[in-house]
Short mmCIF file of all heavy atoms in Angstrom, two decimals:
data_model
loop_
_atom_site.label_atom_id
_atom_site.label_comp_id
_atom_site.label_asym_id
_atom_site.label_seq_id
_atom_site.Cartn_x
_atom_site.Cartn_y
_atom_site.Cartn_z
N ILE A 1 -202.58 -58.02 -68.65
CA ILE A 1 -201.55 -57.77 -69.50
C ILE A 1 -200.26 -57.38 -68.81
O ILE A 1 -199.08 -57.79 -69.39
CB ILE A 1 -201.90 -56.72 -70.64
CG1 ILE A 1 -201.00 -56.61 -71.76
CG2 ILE A 1 -202.11 -55.33 -69.90
CD1 ILE A 1 -200.85 -57.85 -72.54
N LEU A 2 -200.30 -56.80 -67.71
CA LEU A 2 -199.16 -56.41 -66.90
C LEU A 2 -198.38 -57.61 -66.52
O LEU A 2 -197.12 -57.59 -66.39
CB LEU A 2 -199.41 -55.41 -65.81
CG LEU A 2 -200.05 -54.13 -66.21
CD1 LEU A 2 -200.34 -53.28 -64.93
CD2 LEU A 2 -199.09 -53.28 -67.06
N ASP A 3 -199.07 -58.68 -66.06
CA ASP A 3 -198.52 -59.96 -65.74
C ASP A 3 -197.74 -60.61 -66.91
O ASP A 3 -196.70 -61.16 -66.72
CB ASP A 3 -199.57 -60.83 -65.17
CG ASP A 3 -200.21 -60.34 -63.79
OD1 ASP A 3 -199.51 -60.46 -62.75
OD2 ASP A 3 -201.33 -59.82 -63.88
N ILE A 4 -198.31 -60.45 -68.04
CA ILE A 4 -197.72 -61.04 -69.27
C ILE A 4 -196.40 -60.31 -69.48
O ILE A 4 -195.46 -60.91 -69.89
CB ILE A 4 -198.72 -60.92 -70.49
CG1 ILE A 4 -199.85 -61.87 -70.29
CG2 ILE A 4 -197.96 -61.32 -71.75
CD1 ILE A 4 -200.84 -61.94 -71.28
N VAL A 5 -196.49 -58.98 -69.42
CA VAL A 5 -195.23 -58.18 -69.62
C VAL A 5 -194.16 -58.63 -68.59
O VAL A 5 -192.98 -58.83 -68.93
CB VAL A 5 -195.65 -56.69 -69.45
CG1 VAL A 5 -194.28 -55.92 -69.38
CG2 VAL A 5 -196.44 -56.20 -70.51
N ALA A 6 -194.47 -58.87 -67.44
CA ALA A 6 -193.62 -59.38 -66.36
C ALA A 6 -192.92 -60.68 -66.66
O ALA A 6 -191.75 -60.94 -66.54
CB ALA A 6 -194.26 -59.42 -64.95
N MET A 7 -193.81 -61.58 -67.18
CA MET A 7 -193.32 -62.89 -67.63
C MET A 7 -192.39 -62.78 -68.84
O MET A 7 -191.31 -63.55 -68.87
CB MET A 7 -194.50 -63.80 -67.99
CG MET A 7 -195.40 -64.11 -66.88
SD MET A 7 -196.84 -65.18 -67.38
CE MET A 7 -195.95 -66.72 -67.89
N VAL A 8 -192.68 -61.85 -69.82
CA VAL A 8 -191.86 -61.68 -70.97
C VAL A 8 -190.53 -61.26 -70.54
O VAL A 8 -189.44 -61.65 -71.05
CB VAL A 8 -192.46 -60.78 -71.99
CG1 VAL A 8 -191.47 -60.43 -73.04
CG2 VAL A 8 -193.75 -61.46 -72.63
N ASN A 9 -190.44 -60.21 -69.68
CA ASN A 9 -189.22 -59.64 -69.15
C ASN A 9 -188.35 -60.70 -68.43
O ASN A 9 -187.24 -60.86 -68.54
CB ASN A 9 -189.45 -58.48 -68.30
CG ASN A 9 -189.99 -57.23 -69.06
OD1 ASN A 9 -189.69 -57.09 -70.25
ND2 ASN A 9 -190.74 -56.29 -68.39
N CYS A 10 -189.08 -61.55 -67.72
CA CYS A 10 -188.42 -62.58 -66.96
C CYS A 10 -187.81 -63.59 -67.81
O CYS A 10 -186.64 -63.92 -67.72
CB CYS A 10 -189.44 -63.20 -66.03
SG CYS A 10 -188.83 -64.07 -64.73
N ILE A 11 -188.44 -63.99 -68.85
CA ILE A 11 -188.02 -65.06 -69.64
C ILE A 11 -186.85 -64.56 -70.63
O ILE A 11 -185.83 -65.15 -70.84
CB ILE A 11 -189.04 -65.65 -70.51
CG1 ILE A 11 -190.06 -66.43 -69.60
CG2 ILE A 11 -188.52 -66.68 -71.52
CD1 ILE A 11 -191.29 -66.93 -70.32
N ILE A 12 -187.07 -63.33 -71.19
CA ILE A 12 -186.11 -62.86 -72.21
C ILE A 12 -184.88 -62.26 -71.44
O ILE A 12 -183.77 -62.51 -71.91
CB ILE A 12 -186.77 -61.82 -73.16
CG1 ILE A 12 -187.84 -62.43 -74.01
CG2 ILE A 12 -185.69 -61.19 -73.98
CD1 ILE A 12 -188.58 -61.61 -74.90
N ASP A 13 -185.09 -61.44 -70.58
CA ASP A 13 -183.98 -60.61 -69.86
C ASP A 13 -183.39 -61.31 -68.73
O ASP A 13 -182.33 -60.96 -68.26
CB ASP A 13 -184.41 -59.20 -69.54
CG ASP A 13 -184.95 -58.43 -70.71
OD1 ASP A 13 -184.37 -58.66 -71.78
OD2 ASP A 13 -185.80 -57.62 -70.58
N GLY A 14 -184.05 -62.27 -68.15
CA GLY A 14 -183.57 -63.00 -67.02
C GLY A 14 -183.49 -62.15 -65.71
O GLY A 14 -182.56 -62.21 -64.88
N GLU A 15 -184.39 -61.12 -65.63
CA GLU A 15 -184.36 -60.21 -64.54
C GLU A 15 -184.94 -60.79 -63.29
O GLU A 15 -184.63 -60.24 -62.15
CB GLU A 15 -185.11 -58.94 -64.99
CG GLU A 15 -184.45 -58.20 -66.05
CD GLU A 15 -185.12 -56.93 -66.44
OE1 GLU A 15 -186.32 -56.73 -65.98
OE2 GLU A 15 -184.65 -56.13 -67.23
N CYS A 16 -185.75 -61.71 -63.26
CA CYS A 16 -186.39 -62.21 -62.13
C CYS A 16 -186.46 -63.78 -62.03
O CYS A 16 -187.41 -64.28 -61.33
CB CYS A 16 -187.77 -61.65 -61.92
SG CYS A 16 -188.73 -61.71 -63.38
N TRP A 17 -185.58 -64.44 -62.62
CA TRP A 17 -185.36 -65.89 -62.48
C TRP A 17 -184.04 -66.18 -62.01
O TRP A 17 -183.09 -65.42 -62.10
CB TRP A 17 -185.78 -66.70 -63.71
CG TRP A 17 -184.99 -66.27 -64.94
CD1 TRP A 17 -185.11 -65.32 -65.77
CD2 TRP A 17 -183.77 -66.80 -65.33
NE1 TRP A 17 -184.18 -65.28 -66.69
CE2 TRP A 17 -183.19 -66.20 -66.45
CE3 TRP A 17 -182.91 -67.89 -64.78
CZ2 TRP A 17 -182.08 -66.59 -67.13
CZ3 TRP A 17 -181.77 -68.20 -65.44
CH2 TRP A 17 -181.39 -67.54 -66.62
N GLU A 18 -183.84 -67.35 -61.50
CA GLU A 18 -182.54 -67.72 -61.01
C GLU A 18 -182.26 -69.20 -61.45
O GLU A 18 -183.02 -70.03 -61.54
CB GLU A 18 -182.33 -67.76 -59.44
CG GLU A 18 -183.44 -68.47 -58.74
CD GLU A 18 -183.52 -68.41 -57.29
OE1 GLU A 18 -182.92 -67.30 -56.89
OE2 GLU A 18 -183.92 -69.27 -56.55
N GLY A 19 -181.03 -69.42 -61.94
CA GLY A 19 -180.64 -70.70 -62.55
C GLY A 19 -180.21 -71.60 -61.42
O GLY A 19 -180.03 -71.26 -60.25
N GLU A 20 -179.97 -72.77 -61.79
CA GLU A 20 -179.57 -73.86 -60.88
C GLU A 20 -178.15 -73.64 -60.43
O GLU A 20 -177.25 -73.48 -61.25
CB GLU A 20 -179.77 -75.28 -61.45
CG GLU A 20 -181.18 -75.58 -61.74
CD GLU A 20 -181.31 -77.05 -62.42
OE1 GLU A 20 -180.16 -77.60 -62.84
OE2 GLU A 20 -182.39 -77.53 -62.43
N ILE A 21 -177.78 -73.48 -59.18
CA ILE A 21 -176.56 -73.26 -58.65
C ILE A 21 -176.18 -74.54 -57.85
O ILE A 21 -176.67 -75.00 -56.90
CB ILE A 21 -176.53 -72.09 -57.69
CG1 ILE A 21 -176.92 -70.85 -58.38
CG2 ILE A 21 -175.06 -71.92 -57.10
CD1 ILE A 21 -176.97 -69.60 -57.60
N TYR A 22 -174.93 -75.19 -58.35
CA TYR A 22 -174.45 -76.42 -57.74
C TYR A 22 -173.31 -76.00 -56.78
O TYR A 22 -172.58 -74.94 -56.98
CB TYR A 22 -173.88 -77.27 -58.83
CG TYR A 22 -174.95 -77.89 -59.69
CD1 TYR A 22 -175.39 -77.28 -60.76
CD2 TYR A 22 -175.30 -79.25 -59.41
CE1 TYR A 22 -176.42 -77.86 -61.51
CE2 TYR A 22 -176.27 -79.77 -60.20
CZ TYR A 22 -176.95 -79.19 -61.32
OH TYR A 22 -177.87 -79.78 -62.11
N GLY A 23 -173.20 -76.76 -55.67
CA GLY A 23 -172.17 -76.54 -54.72
C GLY A 23 -172.43 -77.37 -53.53
O GLY A 23 -173.29 -78.23 -53.47
N CYS A 24 -171.72 -77.02 -52.43
CA CYS A 24 -171.80 -77.74 -51.14
C CYS A 24 -172.94 -77.14 -50.38
O CYS A 24 -172.89 -75.95 -50.09
CB CYS A 24 -170.56 -77.73 -50.33
SG CYS A 24 -170.60 -78.41 -48.71
N THR A 25 -173.87 -77.91 -50.01
CA THR A 25 -175.09 -77.47 -49.32
C THR A 25 -175.04 -77.83 -47.70
O THR A 25 -176.03 -77.61 -47.18
CB THR A 25 -176.38 -77.99 -49.88
OG1 THR A 25 -176.34 -79.45 -49.88
CG2 THR A 25 -176.43 -77.57 -51.34
N ASP A 26 -173.91 -78.32 -47.37
CA ASP A 26 -173.84 -78.82 -45.85
C ASP A 26 -173.27 -77.63 -45.09
O ASP A 26 -172.13 -77.26 -45.29
CB ASP A 26 -172.91 -80.02 -45.79
CG ASP A 26 -172.85 -80.48 -44.37
OD1 ASP A 26 -173.45 -79.89 -43.42
OD2 ASP A 26 -172.18 -81.51 -44.08
N PRO A 27 -174.08 -77.07 -44.12
CA PRO A 27 -173.60 -75.90 -43.45
C PRO A 27 -172.25 -76.23 -42.55
O PRO A 27 -171.67 -75.28 -42.08
CB PRO A 27 -174.71 -75.41 -42.57
CG PRO A 27 -175.87 -76.11 -43.19
CD PRO A 27 -175.46 -77.28 -43.90
N ASP A 28 -172.11 -77.47 -42.23
CA ASP A 28 -170.94 -77.89 -41.35
C ASP A 28 -169.66 -78.01 -42.20
O ASP A 28 -168.56 -78.09 -41.68
CB ASP A 28 -171.20 -79.09 -40.70
CG ASP A 28 -172.33 -78.92 -39.69
OD1 ASP A 28 -172.48 -77.93 -39.12
OD2 ASP A 28 -173.07 -79.97 -39.48
N ALA A 29 -169.73 -77.93 -43.52
CA ALA A 29 -168.47 -78.08 -44.42
C ALA A 29 -167.75 -76.79 -44.50
O ALA A 29 -168.34 -75.67 -44.41
CB ALA A 29 -168.93 -78.64 -45.80
N LEU A 30 -166.55 -76.87 -44.83
CA LEU A 30 -165.61 -75.77 -44.93
C LEU A 30 -165.97 -74.96 -46.14
O LEU A 30 -165.89 -73.75 -46.15
CB LEU A 30 -164.11 -76.18 -44.91
CG LEU A 30 -163.58 -76.78 -43.67
CD1 LEU A 30 -162.15 -77.30 -43.78
CD2 LEU A 30 -163.66 -75.85 -42.44
N ASN A 31 -166.42 -75.65 -47.14
CA ASN A 31 -166.70 -74.86 -48.43
C ASN A 31 -168.32 -74.78 -48.67
O ASN A 31 -168.73 -74.81 -49.80
CB ASN A 31 -166.10 -75.68 -49.65
CG ASN A 31 -166.63 -77.14 -49.74
OD1 ASN A 31 -166.98 -77.71 -48.80
ND2 ASN A 31 -166.58 -77.69 -51.01
N TYR A 32 -168.96 -74.72 -47.57
CA TYR A 32 -170.43 -74.47 -47.69
C TYR A 32 -170.79 -73.28 -48.50
O TYR A 32 -170.15 -72.17 -48.20
CB TYR A 32 -171.05 -74.32 -46.25
CG TYR A 32 -172.41 -73.79 -46.25
CD1 TYR A 32 -173.51 -74.55 -46.89
CD2 TYR A 32 -172.85 -72.64 -45.62
CE1 TYR A 32 -174.79 -74.15 -46.89
CE2 TYR A 32 -174.17 -72.18 -45.58
CZ TYR A 32 -175.10 -72.93 -46.24
OH TYR A 32 -176.41 -72.48 -46.27
N ASN A 33 -171.67 -73.37 -49.42
CA ASN A 33 -172.11 -72.41 -50.32
C ASN A 33 -173.63 -72.08 -50.03
O ASN A 33 -174.35 -72.88 -50.41
CB ASN A 33 -171.77 -72.67 -51.81
CG ASN A 33 -172.16 -71.56 -52.76
OD1 ASN A 33 -172.56 -70.53 -52.32
ND2 ASN A 33 -171.81 -71.78 -54.00
N SER A 34 -173.83 -70.99 -49.42
CA SER A 34 -175.23 -70.58 -49.09
C SER A 34 -176.09 -70.33 -50.29
O SER A 34 -177.30 -70.32 -50.28
CB SER A 34 -175.25 -69.40 -48.14
OG SER A 34 -174.56 -68.26 -48.78
N ASP A 35 -175.50 -70.14 -51.42
CA ASP A 35 -176.25 -69.83 -52.66
C ASP A 35 -176.52 -71.06 -53.39
O ASP A 35 -177.32 -71.05 -54.35
CB ASP A 35 -175.45 -68.86 -53.59
CG ASP A 35 -175.26 -67.51 -52.96
OD1 ASP A 35 -176.28 -66.98 -52.26
OD2 ASP A 35 -174.22 -66.74 -53.15
N ALA A 36 -175.93 -72.18 -53.10
CA ALA A 36 -176.12 -73.40 -53.83
C ALA A 36 -177.48 -73.91 -53.64
O ALA A 36 -178.01 -73.97 -52.47
CB ALA A 36 -175.11 -74.51 -53.44
N MET A 37 -178.18 -74.50 -54.69
CA MET A 37 -179.48 -75.07 -54.56
C MET A 37 -179.28 -76.55 -54.74
O MET A 37 -180.22 -77.27 -54.22
CB MET A 37 -180.29 -74.53 -55.75
CG MET A 37 -180.49 -72.99 -55.78
SD MET A 37 -181.13 -72.45 -57.33
CE MET A 37 -182.64 -73.30 -57.40
N ILE A 38 -178.23 -77.11 -55.40
CA ILE A 38 -178.11 -78.58 -55.61
C ILE A 38 -176.71 -78.94 -55.11
O ILE A 38 -175.78 -78.32 -55.51
CB ILE A 38 -178.31 -78.94 -57.06
CG1 ILE A 38 -179.68 -78.46 -57.50
CG2 ILE A 38 -178.11 -80.43 -57.33
CD1 ILE A 38 -179.93 -78.72 -59.00
#
């Protein structure tokens, strides 16, 4: 049941999930964004 509680908190409150972050993913670029996923 504790795992279910963790899942509910995650889905409802967004405490432990991360959304898709768009940006430049090339480390050689001037505007490289280390947080970007796509």
Side-chain angles (χ1 to χ4, degrees):
I1 190 63
L2 296 179
D3 295 282
I4 294 179
V5 171
M7 292 178 66
V8 171
N9 290 334
C10 198
I11 295 174
I12 294 179
D13 300 326
E15 294 178 351
C16 46
W17 60 269
E18 53 188 25
E20 296 179 345
I21 299 176
Y22 290 81
C24 175
T25 60
D26 185 355
D28 295 328
L30 297 172
N31 62 329
Y32 167 62
N33 187 354
S34 60
D35 295 326
M37 303 168 58
I38 302 175

